[in-house]
Amino acid sequence: MIVRRPLWLVLASALLAVAGAALLWLPFHTQTALDDWGVTLRERGTPARATVVDQVTESGGNRSSSSRTMYFSYVVDGRTHSQEVPCFEVCRAAGTEVPIWVNPADPGDFVTDFGQLSGHRGRVQGVLGVVGLAALGTGVVLTLSRIRRAVRPDDDRAARPGRDRAARPRPVPVGDGRVHTGRGKRKRNVRR
């Protein structure tokens, strides 16, 4: 006997796994694109010097860790611009000068000498990646649990759902009409 699962459940589970894999791939793809953009800015951007005006640490509370941000001020084409840069690997103190390369088409877009792009980029993709990981795991587990499995024809448990436990011996009446329930460490139903 074969236990059959509805086809739509198997397909939905498989689609959930595929969608989860796609969402999990998104942050990796975004990070690669951002790394490529940083290299392009270093090659084609306008060199400038930025000054770290301030460094702020925001408490994440109970749910997340704290985040640190540097605030930069720099001059391009005679105009002063301000932009923030998250502190992931490097966080410079206030008053420090940092070499940057600015996008000529967008003065708010730059890369630092330590490879960090301006602004907070990729946060949404990171959250989608976490959602994708959960969806992928759930989809894989559901897909694998829905695969057909062969059951032996003589297996009585397959015919009776909910009867997975081994059958308990039925109580047998003894001579005086009382039920004998078997023996454990102590004797039960013993006449005195």
Side-chain angles (χ1 to χ4, degrees), residues 1-191:
M1 180 167 126
I2 302 261
V3 177
R4 297 186 186 266
R5 306 287 184 191
L7 182 61
W8 68 269
L9 265 176
V10 175
L11 289 175
S13 301
L15 285 175
L16 181 64
V18 169
L23 286 175
L24 184 60
W25 169 80
L26 184 62
F28 296 107
H29 172 70
T30 301
Q31 187 58 48
T32 303
L34 289 175
D35 289 344
D36 291 344
W37 180 241
V39 170
T40 302
L41 278 178
R42 280 187 173 213
E43 292 171 356
R44 300 182 187 159
T46 306
R49 307 252 339 141
T51 303
V52 179
V53 178
D54 196 8
Q55 184 188 115
V56 176
T57 302
E58 294 178 14
S59 173
N62 294 336
R63 296 182 182 240
S64 64
S65 61
S66 60
S67 64
R68 296 185 341 176
T69 303
M70 296 178 285
Y71 291 90
F72 282 73
S73 177
Y74 55 97
V75 177
V76 175
D77 295 330
R79 296 187 68 191
T80 303
H81 300 276
S82 296
Q83 190 60 265
E84 60 186 33
V85 174
C87 297
F88 289 125
E89 296 174 10
V90 177
C91 206
R92 303 284 167 90
T96 307
E97 279 199 3
V98 177
I100 61 172
W101 290 266
V102 180
N103 181 356
D106 179 10
D109 186 19
F110 64 85
V111 65
T112 63
D113 67 332
F114 49 89
Q116 187 66 46
L117 291 168
S118 60
H120 294 276
R121 304 175 193 218
R123 282 187 176 180
V124 173
Q125 290 86 352
V127 171
L128 289 176
V130 171
V131 170
L133 180 62
L136 176 64
T138 303
V140 166
V141 168
L142 290 176
T143 300
L144 292 178
S145 71
R146 302 284 187 227
I147 294 177
R148 296 178 184 179
R149 59 185 175 106
V151 179
R152 296 185 320 226
D154 61 334
D155 190 358
D156 191 29
R157 289 178 289 179
R160 294 182 287 159
R163 296 294 214 116
D164 291 340
R165 288 184 269 159
R168 294 184 179 156
R170 296 180 185 231
V172 179
V174 259
D176 61 351
R178 294 185 318 170
V179 176
H180 174 73
T181 58
R183 290 185 171 186
K185 289 185 176 179
R186 301 181 187 158
K187 291 183 181 179
R188 295 181 189 139
N189 297 330
V190 176
R191 283 191 249 174

